[in-house]
Amino acid sequence: MGNTELELGFQKILDGNKEWVDFVSNDTTGRFEQLAKGQSPEVLWIGCADSRVPANELTGKKPGEVFVHRNIANMVIHSDMSMLAVLDYSVNVLKVKQIIIAGHYGCGGVAASLSRNQYGIIDNWLCHIKDVYRLHSAEIDAIENTEDKANKLVELNVKEQVFNLCTTSIIQNAWKERNDLAVHGMVINIGTGELIDLDTTFTSNDELGEVFSYK
Ligand code: CO
């Protein structure tokens, strides 16, 4: 301690919670008592860790309605145990119905992946986005403006992560058991608040192609 600015910053967090506690204690619907007992969200949100893209606010959802996993640049890496654990629990225990992978224009992770700069250990994470670039390099290289280039990669990256998610054994096995599970790819325009559907929705493993779709 001894850093006043730091202490004030922490105090603001505590004050913010007091406001929330007031709000909760004034609620007369009983929904917080209900929430304290358990959750049954219908949505799993996989989004960027960026502070500007909060899942609930963007979708008009209340606490208890969205299960959330966020990481840098909303990636679905097949060996990421954290993502797999969130996915398994939400799909097989909570039985979510709508899964949204949400990228956003102006994503720093995506922009960094298009540069040759080293940023540290994160370079190895961002390399997965460079892999997406490699698949679409002709399309991206044809765009001149750096920002437009990055935003195109934001969209293509979301589509690729949707595909990555659908090829997991977790999603494919869930589709064998039920037909009420959809995976959507979307992109957020932070300036307008819009959540734009990229029209890359999967609802069964029929669309994955032979090598990817498990028997
Ligand atoms: Co981002």
Side-chain angles (χ1 to χ4, degrees):
M1 284 304 184
N3 182 332
T4 315
E5 204 180 325
L6 199 59
E7 285 168 23
L8 281 174
F10 183 52
Q11 191 55 47
K12 273 190 186 168
I13 295 171
L14 298 176
D15 293 346
N17 176 249
K18 279 208 187 83
E19 282 175 32
W20 178 249
V21 170
D22 280 348
F23 175 76
V24 171
S25 64
N26 286 322
D27 179 81
T28 53
T29 64
R31 68 186 172 104
F32 291 104
E33 285 88 340
Q34 207 56 42
L35 280 178
K37 292 178 194 154
Q39 59 172 336
S40 56
E42 211 170 274
V43 181
L44 166 63
W45 172 278
I46 298 177
C48 184
D50 192 297
S51 63
R52 302 165 294 175
V53 287
N56 285 64
E57 282 86 342
L58 281 159
T59 52
K61 296 286 188 190
K62 297 188 172 73
E65 295 180 334
V66 191
F67 205 68
V68 175
H69 180 77
R70 290 167 68 177
N71 61 37
I72 293 197
N74 42 272
M75 301 301 286
V76 175
I77 314 292
H78 287 133
S79 55
D80 175 2
M81 273 308 297
S82 175
M83 180 279 294
L84 291 172
V86 166
L87 184 64
D88 184 38
Y89 185 72
S90 61
V91 167
N92 291 320
V93 180
L94 299 173
K95 307 279 183 194
V96 295
K97 293 186 168 73
Q98 311 285 351
I99 302 180
I100 293 171
I101 298 188
H104 65 100
Y105 294 128
C107 184
V110 171
S113 78
L114 277 176
S115 84
R116 295 175 60 201
N117 299 333
Q118 276 204 22
Y119 295 92
I121 200 167
I122 194 181
D123 297 327
N124 304 286
W125 183 260
L126 298 179
C127 220
H128 291 288
I129 314 176
K130 287 183 191 275
D131 290 342
V132 179
Y133 164 78
R134 194 155 63 94
L135 291 171
H136 304 278
S137 56
E139 186 180 352
I140 292 163
D141 290 346
I143 301 169
E144 290 209 354
N145 180 285
T146 313
E147 205 180 315
D148 294 345
K149 236 187 235 280
N151 286 342
K152 175 53 77 178
L153 185 54
V154 163
E155 294 173 359
L156 293 168
N157 185 50
V158 167
K159 288 182 184 176
E160 197 63 25
Q161 303 319 313
V162 166
F163 192 77
N164 284 347
L165 195 78
C166 295
T167 54
T168 61
S169 56
I170 297 166
I171 291 291
Q172 292 199 38
N173 289 337
W175 275 332
K176 284 178 192 163
E177 286 173 19
R178 58 189 178 109
N179 60 5
D180 62 348
L181 177 63
V183 181
H184 310 276
M186 307 190 88
V187 63
I188 299 150
N189 180 329
I190 292 174
T192 64
E194 249 181 312
L195 188 55
I196 301 152
D197 187 7
L198 291 176
D199 200 19
T200 181
T201 297
F202 287 77
T203 54
S204 79
N205 58 4
D206 297 342
E207 302 141 85
L208 299 178
E210 266 202 4
V211 168
F212 290 98
S213 128
Y214 295 117
K215 281 194 266 187

